Structure formats: C-alpha cells, structure tokens
Amino acid sequence: MSPASDGLPPKATRWQRLRSFFVERLGLESLGALAAKKRVPIHGKTVFYFLGGMALFLFAIQVITGALLSLYYKPSPDQAFESTRAIMTEVDFGWLIRSIHSWCANLLIGVLLLHLLTAYSMRAYRRPREVTWITGVLLLGLFMAFGFSGYLLPWNQLAFFATRVGTAILGAVPLVGPDLLLLARGGENVTGDTLARFYAVHVVILPLAVFVLLGVHLYLVQKHGMSIPQSVAAKAGGEEKVPTMPFFPHFFLRDMVGWYIALGLLAALAALFPPELGHKAEPFGSAPPGIKPEWYFLAMFQTLKKLPAHIFGIEGEVVGVLFFGFFVLVVLLVPFFDVGASQGRPRRCLNLLATLAVIAFVVMTVWGLME
Amino acid sequence: MKFALLSISLAAILAWVVAAASQPGEKPAPLPKDKGPLKENNCTACHGESDLWEGEKRRFHVTEKDLAKDIHWQKGLRCHDCHGGDPTTRHYPSAHDVEGAKFRSIKSPKDIPGFCGHCHSDIEYMRNYQASPRTDQLPEYWTSGHGKQLKATGDPQVAVCTSCHGGKHQLYAIRDLESPVYPTRIAKTCATCHSDPKVMEGRKYHGRPLGTHQYEEWQQSVHGKALLEKGDLSAPSCNRCHGNHGAAPQNVDSVANVCGNCHSKVSELFVKTRMKHRFEQVGLPGCATCHGNHLIRHPTDEMLGMGEKASCVKCHGEGRHGATLAGAEVARTLRSQLDQLSQLITQAEAKVAEAERLGMEVSGPRFDLRKAFDARVNARTLIHSFAPDPVEHALSEGIQTASEVEERAEAALQEHTNRRIWLAVSLVPIAVVVVLLLLYIRRLPIPNS
C-alpha cells in the first residue's frame, strides 16, 4: 500500500494506517457520517427514548448468556434437568450465567412493555411510523414466546406442568386449536418431543425471527428518526425547532449510564435471588400446587381461570382466547384506528381502552400473584 | 372366604336356637293365627314374632331386620341353608324336620366350629362365593389354644367362630368396617375376653397366668399407635402374631419368633447368631427379650450400649445368662459410633437446609444425605447380627457420606457468602463508571442543531 494510493501522509502512524484499511474496505465513512448526522430531540419525554436502547442492551445480554448456557445444556428429558443442575453447581459461574439469563428475560419483557406504552402515549406510531409500531408489537410477542419456550427447558416439575397448562390454552382456539396444540407439543402430551421442539424454537427459530424483525425495526427508526410528541412540537413551533442533541456521543453516553445501572441491577438480582431449580419433571406425577406462568402471562392465565365455564353458550376458555386474540389484533392495528393522529385530534376512545387494559393487566397480575 | 365362615356362624346360631327350642318334652310354640300366605321362607313367620318368645326362649326371636347386616343374609343365604328344615311350610314338625335327620342342630358351643366348617371347609361350595376361597380355618382352629381348650374341656367361654365374627345373626364380612375382626377393631374384640379379669381368671399360658394387660400394652406400643392413631392397616394387631384361627402364623415355630414375618432382614440376621442359641438355652424369648412383646416401643439408639435405658445392660451389666464383659465393650463402641453418625447427619442436614433456605442449589448433597440415612438404617439393622465388623463397616460408610455432605453444604454456604462479596465488589466499579459518565455528560456541551 503506497501513501499515494491510500491518501495518507507519508508519516502516517500505524494506527492511522490500520484505520484507513478498514474505512476503505468497510465503508465506515458513511456509517460515521450517519452517526454524526443522527440527532435525538430534547424535551420532557426524552427519557422514553432510552427504553429502546435498554431493550437492545438486555437482548444482547440474553444472546451472550444464552450462547454460554447452550455450551452445557442438553435438550433431552433424561439430561435437561441434570445438565441444568450441573450448570448451577459444577460449571464455573454457571449459576451466575443462568441467573442473569433468567432475570434478564424478565427485565427485557418489562422494558418492552414500558417501551410500548410510552410509544403509545407519545403517539409515536403516527404516519409514517405505522410499520415501526407493528414490528415493535411483533417483537414483543416474539420475546414473550422466548420466555414461554425457555421456561420449559430446565425440565422441572413446575415448568413441565405450567407448559402443559399453557399449551392446553392453544387447544381452545376455535377451528385450529387441536392442530395448534399438536404443533406446539409435537404430540398429544408434553414429552421429550415438546422439549426438543421448544429448544429448537428458543435457540434457532425465534432468534432468526427476532433478528429479521429487529433489523426492520431499527432501519425504520433510523429512517424516520425519533418521533417527537405533537404537544412538544406545537409548543416549539414545529418539529424542526425542537432542540436536539447528537446521538454520538451525547445520547449514547446517557444510554450507557442506563446500561450500567441495568447491569448492576441484574448482578444484584442474580446474586441475591437465583432462580430455583426445583425437582425434575415427572410426567406421571401429580401437578405441584400453585402452578403459575411467568408474571407477564399471569394476567391472561388468571382471566382464563376465572371465566365462567360457559358464556352465552360458548365455552368460557374459548371466549377468553378469542378475546385475547382480538385484543392483540387491536394493539397491532392501533395506528390505523387512531385516524386523527396526524391532525392531532384527541383519541378518547382508544385512551379509555388503553387505560382499562393497563388496569386489568395490573389487577389480574396482582390477583394471580396473591392466589 | 371369611364371609362364608360368617355364614356358617349365622347358621350355627340359628340352628342352635331352633334345636334348643325343639328339645324333647318342650311344647312347640303355637303358630300365629294369621300370618298371611305361605312364602318361600316362613321361618320368620314364627321366629320374627316378638310375642311368641319370652323369658328363656327370647333368644329364638330373630327378625329379618336383625339379619339385614349379616353377610350370609346379604349374599342370599336363608335360615334353612345353614339350619336345614323346610322353610316353605309352617307345620312345625315338617319345618324343623323333626322326624328326618337333615336338621342341623347345635347342642353346645363345642358344635359351632364344626357347624360353620360344614360349608367353610367345603372348597367346592365356597367357590360359589369366592374364586380362591380359604377352607383351612376349621383344622387350623383345632390347633389353636382356643380349639384345644374347647375340645378338651368344652368350656363355653372359649372363643368360637361367632365370638369374633359378630353378634347373634349379625356376622360381618371381614372387610366390613363394622366387622369385629376388621384390622382396627380386632384387638378390641380379643380384649372383650382377654381384658376381662373374670373370664381370664385361672387361665394359664405355658404355666403362667394369662393376665389381662395385653390390650392396654398393645395400645401403647408402636404397632398399636400405628394402627389406631395413624390408620396404618399394615401394622400388626393380635392376629398378625398369634394367628387368625391357628396358634401362630405359618413358618413360625413359636409366637416369640413371629416378628420375622415382617421384620425379615432383622430376623434373618438374628437366627444366625450365637445369641439366638444362647437365648434358647436359657429360655429367653427371641426378639421380645429386648423389645418386649405387647408393649413394643419405637426402637431408639438408647437401646444399644450400656446406658440406663439400654437393653444390653440387662444381661451384660450383671453377667446374667453368661453374658460377657467383652460383649459390653462391643455394645459401648457401636453405640458411640452410631451416635457419631447421628450427630454428623444432624449437622449435615442443618447445613443443607440452611443452604436451601438461602436459595443455593444443594439437591446433590440433599440426595446423598439419604445415603447416610440409609447407612444408619443398615447399621441399626446389622446390630441384630451381634457382630461388630459389619455394623462398623456400615457406620463408617455413613460417617464418610455424612461428612462429605456436610463439606459440600458448607461449601455452598461459603459460596453464598462469596457471591455477596463479589456482588458488592462488582457494584463498586459499576457505580464509579456511572458517576464518571454522569460527570462527563454534565461537562459535555450540547452543540446546536
């Protein structure tokens, strides 16, 4: 490489030469220009912008800890529990990795739910960000599926019976319920086939789907920029007049503060409250008392449990499943229901429904936890 | 099988009653004036009539209501199936077959076993009611203390079939919860005679007075409590050791050695010891020498050694029955090792429980702790071999396992402490970085758009 050809001065340092090597080949200049150009609006709700980055950070932790766990985990009914126990007791820092993976999954769902609510509150889904919203909702669904499939993997009593109850709910879906049940379980009952299936879904199918959707989501965020609440824009006299800060390094440094705090919180939770392993699953044993799903499924579980056996002559569980299916559809299509979003017209009906949904979620979750 | 015995017993009672009523010289009771049309079974037309039976003859009064709980009656047997006669007539001589020989009468309690055995010893007949009926009760009964006494003396107080299986014409199936021989009730049934000083007065067993203390003692025993308080139907009552109809269960040379029927491992060890032969030489009963017979307490480690509550000290302390001081020393050593193992198990269990409480994964040590428990159970069993080597071997295995479990639990507790220390250590740099970042952010000016 001659100085004339790479544009470097004759006395360029080794570091400058190395940087030049990668800049030329990877097109880092355009990325750098993009990063330098990207700005984040500053207003009273700027803190909400951190939630997306926080979710990304937690997802990265999940990928790393999940990869480490997969080095020792053996997805078969004979070895799943034993290998998990070995991770907890014999592998160096195995307990910490599993504990962080478990707690991080919960934090990630919590952060995503908050991200969804704040995006709703800021009307961030309004034109042209409808697809960003939809991919975000779908991502939340995928991460919940991560939680559901991962719950069975330790193959303990609680996980086994909770999965049996959880997958049985799929069977209540009208028309395709029995087929969905077979698809989820890989047979009539929860068996080793279910475990293999859940493992494949957890480590192959869901990650692929997440990477695709996340790619689209991030691309759209980059393309459309951060959404500014209409009230903030109106107060400033237009979106372009709202003050901003550079993403690098200003917003990124603030993001890092949140990540470090999350890391500390994760370390504390993992060290002080490691998840229990319980007893190995016994398919022919009796179900342990107080079977409950993870907290983010608890509201749905509790609602289905408390529904009467029949509603208007239809099985209560079927009505419940239909209701939740309808609810997810409404959430997914919120940008299209809020027809006055671009004009800044109020959305009283949607707000009422959203408030009711949040209250119902909290009440049913607390009720489920207390039972 | 048992209900068939009951059916015979019912028949016996009824036959006895009828026979007694038809003693020569006694005037038959007059027939009731209006008993309606003849039925298939007309016995109750007279025997169910309360007015006809007074005074001594009152015992002949039997109604269908009385019979309702009787297993024989429930199975469809009627009076004549046991007693004979013709139930289709109300003509007294024909009904009681006075002229024929087909009426089965009971002249004394001595006749009852044979009366019941008429059907209950007939395997072909009993197969009508059970696929594999037992039909050896009668011959077994004659080998029992009761049977021998009855045959020899005809003593009317000696227990016969009807004494245990139910009251007058109310003979229960043995699995009936109301049956006097149901596992939870049979001891009390035996006690109706064996705890009655009047009935037991003068009665002897192997030359010694029988006494009336057995039921009371059994109630306080580990077996009695298991059966009566915990409802454990596998716990032995009187019949499990003394036999149901015979003197002792099969394969047992004497009641003193009956324990081996359930405690087979212990028995197997004991019969091979010199101790057993020595016991026999000096006339001591086997297991009962140390454990007692009716008042068998839950065995504890205190029974071993030379302490106040130890069994060994009774002979080895005073050199009775040729017991040696060397034996006393062995007992002391084994007790000491057993105590050491128990102490180690307690310590290890406490540490495992503490580690579990703190959320540490100690299912492995918890599982291995069971091996230490098993070793202790094994050692306690092997004590009945009265040979120190196998006991010491089992104890040393248990001691080693318990020590290892304790070490692992201790390591888990230490790990828990370490985790907290490392958490604190890791939070400090995180906090420092956060503070530095915040300070840097504060100093970093935000350029205009």
Side-chain angles (χ1 to χ4, degrees):
Chain A
M1 192 192 324
S2 68
S5 64
D6 58 15
L8 287 171
K11 290 188 178 177
T13 61
R14 188 169 290 177
W15 164 246
Q16 284 172 324
R17 288 179 188 284
L18 188 69
R19 187 171 175 277
S20 171
F21 178 86
F22 284 109
V23 165
E24 185 185 358
R25 283 156 185 81
L26 301 178
L28 295 179
E29 272 176 335
S30 56
L31 276 179
L34 196 68
K37 188 182 159 193
K38 184 173 172 61
R39 297 186 74 88
V40 179
I42 305 171
H43 52 78
K45 294 176 181 173
T46 297
V47 69
F48 292 166
Y49 297 139
F50 292 116
L51 289 169
M54 180 66 78
L56 262 181
F57 172 71
L58 294 174
F59 175 58
I61 289 180
Q62 285 301 79
V63 172
I64 294 165
T65 53
L68 290 173
L69 288 174
S70 71
L71 298 178
Y72 292 95
Y73 177 75
K74 298 181 181 75
S76 78
D78 295 336
Q79 301 181 81
F81 181 82
E82 284 76 6
S83 61
T84 310
R85 187 167 60 193
I87 288 169
M88 295 283 284
T89 56
E90 291 168 28
V91 178
D92 288 340
F93 297 106
W95 66 272
L96 183 64
I97 302 297
R98 177 172 179 249
S99 196
I100 287 180
H101 195 73
S102 171
W103 274 111
C104 191
N106 286 288
L107 287 184
L108 178 54
I109 299 286
V111 167
L112 286 174
L113 283 172
L114 278 178
H115 191 34
L116 182 87
L117 284 176
T118 53
Y120 174 83
S121 74
M122 293 195 296
R123 272 180 153 172
Y125 51 75
R126 66 187 187 277
R127 187 179 177 190
R129 297 184 179 85
E130 295 95 331
V131 181
T132 316
W133 169 270
I134 290 171
T135 52
V137 173
L138 291 176
L139 276 169
L140 173 62
L142 288 179
F143 280 111
M144 289 175 91
F146 259 122
F148 185 68
S149 56
Y151 196 61
L152 177 68
L153 301 188
W155 199 248
N156 57 29
Q157 277 290 80
L158 198 60
F160 177 85
F161 284 99
T163 303
R164 195 147 87 176
V165 173
T167 48
I169 293 172
L170 286 175
V173 176
L175 301 175
V176 293
D179 293 327
L180 276 180
L181 185 71
L182 280 177
L183 185 70
R185 290 183 176 174
E188 295 281 344
N189 298 307
V190 176
T191 61
D193 291 340
T194 319
L195 180 64
R197 191 161 289 216
F198 272 44
Y199 182 69
V201 167
H202 194 75
V203 303
V204 179
I205 298 170
L206 287 175
L208 282 176
V210 163
F211 277 118
V212 170
L213 269 181
L214 192 58
V216 175
H217 191 75
L218 292 177
Y219 163 75
L220 291 173
V221 170
Q222 183 59 35
K223 178 173 172 56
H224 298 306
M226 305 285 204
S227 169
I228 300 170
Q230 287 164 313
S231 57
V232 173
K235 202 173 173 183
E239 284 192 358
E240 66 281 356
K241 290 186 180 171
V242 174
T244 59
M245 71 171 98
F247 186 81
F248 279 110
H250 295 73
F251 189 78
F252 187 74
L253 287 174
R254 285 165 175 79
D255 251 347
M256 278 180 71
V257 171
W259 297 348
Y260 268 100
I261 291 172
L263 195 64
L265 180 66
L266 263 178
L269 288 170
L272 300 178
F273 309 106
E276 284 184 13
L277 184 57
H279 298 285
K280 187 175 180 176
E282 287 177 25
F284 298 108
S286 54
I291 296 177
K292 282 175 193 166
E294 293 280 46
W295 64 271
Y296 39 89
F297 288 121
L298 202 51
M300 186 175 77
F301 177 75
Q302 188 71 2
T303 307
L304 290 172
K305 204 164 84 172
K306 295 298 172 189
L307 282 176
H310 287 90
I311 300 169
F312 302 119
I314 308 170
E315 270 188 59
E317 200 176 28
V318 174
V319 174
V321 168
L322 284 174
F323 168 77
F324 285 114
F326 179 71
F327 177 76
V328 169
L329 197 66
V330 169
V331 172
L332 205 59
L333 300 177
V334 155
F336 306 103
F337 289 124
D338 191 4
V339 287
S342 299
Q343 294 77 39
R345 288 206 299 268
R347 41 172 187 175
R348 290 191 190 90
C349 190
L350 268 179
N351 280 347
L352 179 67
L353 286 174
T355 310
L356 283 177
V358 171
I359 291 171
F361 181 85
V362 173
V363 169
M364 295 310 283
T365 303
V366 172
W367 189 5
L369 287 171
M370 288 171 69
E371 259 197 353
Chain B
M1 171 179 69
K2 296 290 179 186
F3 79 79
L5 174 63
L6 301 182
S7 75
I8 296 303
S9 306
L10 162 69
I13 288 176
L14 203 53
W16 191 11
V17 164
V18 173
S22 59
Q23 291 296 314
E26 274 193 31
K27 189 178 176 184
L31 281 169
K33 289 176 184 172
D34 179 17
K35 293 312 296 178
L38 280 173
K39 295 185 290 186
E40 194 181 329
N41 181 20
N42 291 284
C43 305
T44 52
C46 296
H47 287 278
E49 194 63 40
S50 179
D51 299 341
L52 295 178
W53 313 100
E54 288 173 351
E56 274 295 300
K57 291 180 184 173
R58 187 68 187 169
R59 63 182 187 275
F60 303 136
H61 173 52
V62 182
T63 65
E64 289 192 11
K65 193 180 172 187
D66 295 333
L67 290 159
K69 287 186 176 177
D70 188 282
I71 183 63
H72 304 94
W73 189 264
Q74 288 173 0
K75 291 285 179 183
L77 290 170
R78 293 296 172 260
C79 313
H80 64 284
D81 290 314
C82 299
H83 295 283
D86 182 0
T88 60
T89 177
R90 289 192 197 134
H91 181 242
Y92 177 83
S94 306
H96 294 86
D97 194 24
V98 172
E99 292 176 1
K102 290 180 182 173
F103 193 84
R104 288 197 293 278
S105 62
I106 296 173
K107 293 188 171 58
S108 75
K110 199 175 171 181
D111 296 334
I112 291 179
F115 188 88
C116 300
H118 180 75
C119 293
H120 282 271
S121 295
D122 183 343
I123 193 158
E124 228 172 281
Y125 177 79
M126 293 306 296
R127 274 191 184 144
N128 292 320
Y129 299 96
Q130 276 182 312
S132 302
R134 186 181 164 187
T135 51
D136 60 348
Q137 299 96 327
L138 182 61
E140 269 212 343
Y141 174 77
W142 292 124
T143 67
S144 71
H146 293 140
K148 286 174 184 169
Q149 180 82 354
L150 183 68
K151 193 172 267 182
T153 64
D155 183 350
Q157 285 187 315
V158 169
V160 291
C161 316
T162 49
S163 313
C164 302
H165 289 281
K168 180 185 172 188
H169 290 108
Q170 284 187 359
L171 296 155
Y172 293 88
I174 56 166
R175 288 192 180 83
D176 191 321
L177 288 172
E178 290 188 54
S179 168
V181 296
Y182 190 74
T184 52
R185 296 166 65 107
I186 191 167
K188 198 163 190 180
T189 301
C190 297
T192 52
C193 296
H194 283 272
S195 294
D196 186 339
K198 287 180 187 169
V199 177
M200 289 296 115
E201 192 178 358
R203 299 186 187 277
K204 292 185 177 178
Y205 177 72
H206 287 203
R208 294 191 304 259
L210 258 176
T212 54
H213 57 283
Q214 300 91 338
Y215 178 62
E216 197 181 331
E217 286 187 353
W218 174 82
Q219 277 182 305
Q220 302 301 317
S221 75
V222 65
H223 296 137
K225 284 182 177 172
L227 186 63
L228 300 177
E229 292 174 13
K230 296 179 185 169
D232 181 357
L233 297 185
S234 68
S237 187
C238 314
N239 62 318
R240 290 285 291 279
C241 300
H242 294 281
N244 284 310
H245 305 99
Q250 290 176 334
N251 304 322
V252 174
D253 52 358
S254 81
V255 177
N257 294 328
V258 79
C259 314
N261 268 12
C262 296
H263 302 277
S264 54
K265 177 67 181 170
V266 173
S267 170
E268 194 181 307
L269 290 167
F270 180 67
V271 294
K272 291 176 186 167
T273 62
R274 282 185 303 165
M275 196 77 83
K276 179 180 187 287
H277 300 298
R278 186 67 191 150
F279 278 14
E280 284 171 353
Q281 281 170 3
V282 297
L284 290 173
C287 314
T289 305
C290 301
H291 294 278
N293 48 16
H294 297 105
L295 186 57
I296 298 170
R297 301 279 190 196
H298 191 281
T300 62
D301 293 344
E302 287 182 331
M303 289 177 70
L304 177 68
M306 297 301 289
E308 264 181 42
K309 296 178 181 175
S311 297
C312 316
V313 76
K314 290 176 191 168
C315 296
H316 289 276
E318 297 170 7
R320 289 171 60 202
H321 307 302
T324 61
L325 286 175
E329 195 49 42
V330 169
R332 270 197 203 96
T333 308
L334 293 180
R335 171 66 190 278
S336 165
Q337 289 178 342
L338 194 56
D339 285 348
Q340 188 192 350
L341 174 57
S342 294
Q343 193 183 354
L344 273 173
I345 286 176
T346 307
Q347 285 171 204
E349 196 175 21
K351 284 185 179 168
V352 168
E354 176 65 4
E356 281 172 340
R357 192 185 66 77
L358 293 171
M360 300 302 290
E361 171 51 43
V362 281
S363 57
R366 167 67 75 192
F367 181 81
D368 287 346
L369 191 58
R370 277 160 41 184
K371 290 183 192 168
F373 278 110
D374 290 347
R376 186 168 63 177
V377 170
N378 192 27
R380 284 171 174 165
T381 305
L382 287 169
I383 283 168
H384 297 89
S385 69
F386 297 100
D389 287 350
V391 183
E392 282 176 358
H393 180 69
L395 285 170
S396 63
E397 268 185 12
I399 287 169
Q400 190 184 343
T401 309
S403 302
E404 285 170 6
V405 168
E406 192 184 358
E407 274 175 31
R408 289 163 69 191
E410 184 64 48
L413 291 172
Q414 186 57 48
E415 168 76 13
H416 181 263
T417 308
N418 290 346
R419 285 181 188 181
R420 287 171 178 253
I421 293 168
W422 280 108
L423 171 66
V425 169
S426 64
L427 287 181
V428 169
I430 288 174
V432 169
V433 170
V434 168
V435 170
L436 289 175
L437 276 172
L438 289 173
L439 288 174
Y440 182 73
I441 289 167
R442 277 187 74 177
R443 292 179 57 190
L444 191 68
I446 297 174
N448 291 330
S449 308

